Amino acid sequence: YSRAEVAQHRTPGERVWVTYGTDVFDVTDFVELHPGGPDKILLAAGGALEPFWALYAVHSQPHVLELLRDYKVGELSPEDTAPPAGDAQDPFAGDPPRHPALRVNSLKPFNAEPPPELLTQSFLTPNELFFTRNHLPVPAVEPGSYRLRVQGPGGRVLSLSLAELRQRFPKHEVTATLQCAGNRRSEMSRVRPVKGLPWDIGAISTARWGGARLRDVLLAAGFGDKSDEDGEWHVCFEGLDVDASGTPYGASIPLKRALSADAEVLLAYEMNGQELPRDHGFPVRALVPGVVGARSVKWLRSVVVSPSESQSHWQQNDYKGFCPSVDWDSVDFRSAPAIQELPVQSAITEPRPGAAVPAGELTVKGYAWSGGGREVVRVDVSLDGGRIHQL
């Protein structure tokens, strides 16, 4: 069978086919028997099992493979056993491979979120399932030649290699949640049409990040001597990802936050104990806990201390909030400040809207998060005519 033929079998009505290695299996009759529930196994329907089994090591046992063999229906065609070659003319051809469980909102640039039922499978989101928000093609960075430029007023410059960033500054770790400003936009659009990617409730993920404190780097570079009398200063980040004109992605945060020991802003090079994946900023990214994800710039090439905000499009003409009476015909981006901290956000991940559930006791899963380090005190859930509401 070809991979295209396998991909046609994604539901019990069409039969559920999967591949493992070069073998093709019809697992329709096993779907309801799956110990993790039918929803989990259907995530792999029409595709390969390997990316999912890599997340859950319990599958790598002889008896599981023996069970799978009972459902074999054929093998992949020889020409379909290797992935197709990329297009050298496509600026996105060098993007990294992604986990097939991710729900894609756009391919180029790549933007995707984990299925809700996997988002709350564990407190820390596996790197492969962490939501991805890219604005431009993913840059290919050679770690041996990488340099981070840290610059301030008066021409002072500190240039750091990846090795120097690791060796010169104490490693600090922080567990932090990142959220895209567009999280739950699909729900908003059901109330009133909203422009932008149709994110469901999965544009939010949590990881354990490791790296150098931005505070330590700025102080070592001599950029911590700004007083309140100098006015509000900013730290501007630029990435190595660029558009067709060579313009990089950029954003900024207040210098006060960057220098705060409590804010724990990082120049991160690790994610959940591993080096940063390419989609998440390899080799170094900014990590700003409690602040909209747009400010945690990936693939960092420069950090600049400045008396003004970043002049990047994404700081000046995007990621700002307005009242409901403002629309795209009347918006003036100069009239609103750039979003930094976000309000409380919560969602139910299981059961999903419209799902049929058995009578009796029901376990409801979800998340609740608040920006700026503010604590979530409680989450209320109510039942109304059989419908679950999160308050």
Side-chain angles (χ1 to χ4, degrees), residues 17 32-33 49 85 129 161 186 255 266 294 298 302 332 356 365:
W17 286 17
E32 294 297 329
L33 303 175
L49 286 173
L129 295 179
S161 68
S186 59
L255 176 61
L266 295 185
K298 299 187 282 190
S302 70
D332 177 7
K365 293 183 179 182

Side-chain angles (χ1 to χ4, degrees), residues 134-195:
N134 293 342
H135 296 83
L136 301 163
V138 176
V141 184
E142 171 52 52
S145 58
Y146 172 78
R147 306 293 296 188
L148 175 64
R149 181 181 176 89
V150 185
Q151 181 178 343
R156 288 178 292 178
V157 175
L158 175 65
S159 179
L160 295 167
S161 68
L162 181 58
E164 288 170 334
L165 186 65
R166 287 176 173 270
Q167 295 164 9
R168 285 187 56 179
F169 302 97
K171 179 182 172 183
H172 183 72
E173 292 188 316
V174 59
T175 298
T177 298
L178 287 184
Q179 178 181 222
C180 177
N183 192 30
R184 299 177 66 186
R185 185 178 284 129
S186 59
E187 292 181 64
M188 301 177 203
S189 293
R190 289 197 287 270
V191 178
R192 178 179 175 183
V194 182
K195 289 188 178 182

Side-chain angles (χ1 to χ4, degrees), residues 84-362:
D87 180 357
Q89 301 302 313
D90 183 354
F92 295 93
D95 276 16
R98 279 92 181 205
H99 199 283
L102 291 172
R103 295 184 173 177
V104 179
N105 290 312
S106 76
L107 275 173
K108 299 177 182 182
F110 188 78
N111 291 280
E113 58 192 296
E117 58 269 30
L118 294 186
L119 185 59
T120 47
Q121 190 83 6
S122 60
F123 178 69
L124 296 180
T125 311
N127 292 355
E128 299 92 334
L129 295 179
F130 203 96
F131 87 93
T132 299
R133 176 63 173 113
N134 293 342
H135 296 83
L136 301 163
V138 176
V141 184
E142 171 52 52
S145 58
Y146 172 78
R147 306 293 296 188
L148 175 64
R149 181 181 176 89
V150 185
Q151 181 178 343
R156 288 178 292 178
V157 175
L158 175 65
S159 179
L160 295 167
S161 68
L162 181 58
E164 288 170 334
L165 186 65
R166 287 176 173 270
Q167 295 164 9
R168 285 187 56 179
F169 302 97
K171 179 182 172 183
H172 183 72
E173 292 188 316
V174 59
T175 298
T177 298
L178 287 184
Q179 178 181 222
C180 177
N183 192 30
R184 299 177 66 186
R185 185 178 284 129
S186 59
E187 292 181 64
M188 301 177 203
S189 293
R190 289 197 287 270
V191 178
R192 178 179 175 183
V194 182
K195 289 188 178 182
L197 294 171
W199 295 103
D200 191 23
I201 62 175
I204 184 170
S205 300
T206 302
R208 183 73 176 171
W209 309 90
R213 287 180 183 263
L214 178 57
R215 166 188 167 85
D216 292 344
V217 175
L218 293 179
L219 292 178
F223 302 146
D225 54 356
K226 298 301 171 191
S227 66
D228 293 338
E229 289 74 27
D230 294 323
E232 185 176 49
W233 282 63
H234 304 265
V235 176
C236 304
F237 305 115
E238 275 194 359
L240 288 162
D241 49 333
V242 297
D243 64 14
S245 70
T247 302
Y249 181 85
S252 61
I253 61 173
L255 176 61
K256 185 178 297 185
R257 179 181 292 274
L259 291 176
S260 168
D262 293 333
E264 298 185 283
V265 181
L266 295 185
L267 298 177
Y269 45 75
E270 287 184 1
M271 180 179 180
N272 288 329
Q274 303 172 15
E275 69 176 20
L276 287 175
R278 286 187 62 207
D279 258 332
H280 299 291
F282 177 83
V284 178
R285 70 172 299 165
L287 190 284
V288 191
V291 166
V292 65
R295 312 302 172 212
S296 289
V297 176
K298 299 187 282 190
W299 312 292
L300 268 185
R301 70 161 147 196
S302 70
V303 176
V304 179
V305 177
S306 169
S308 59
E309 276 189 321
S310 167
Q311 295 305 300
S312 165
H313 162 82
W314 292 277
Q315 187 80 18
Q316 299 297 325
N317 298 303
D318 203 352
Y319 296 110
K320 294 188 175 185
F322 300 91
C323 66
S325 63
V326 175
D327 58 26
W328 284 96
D329 296 322
S330 61
V331 66
D332 177 7
F333 279 97
R334 295 170 299 178
S335 67
I339 296 172
Q340 294 287 340
E341 295 182 5
L342 292 173
V344 171
Q345 181 72 280
S346 63
I348 292 172
T349 58
E350 294 184 73
R352 295 292 285 143
V357 297
E361 184 175 309
L362 176 68

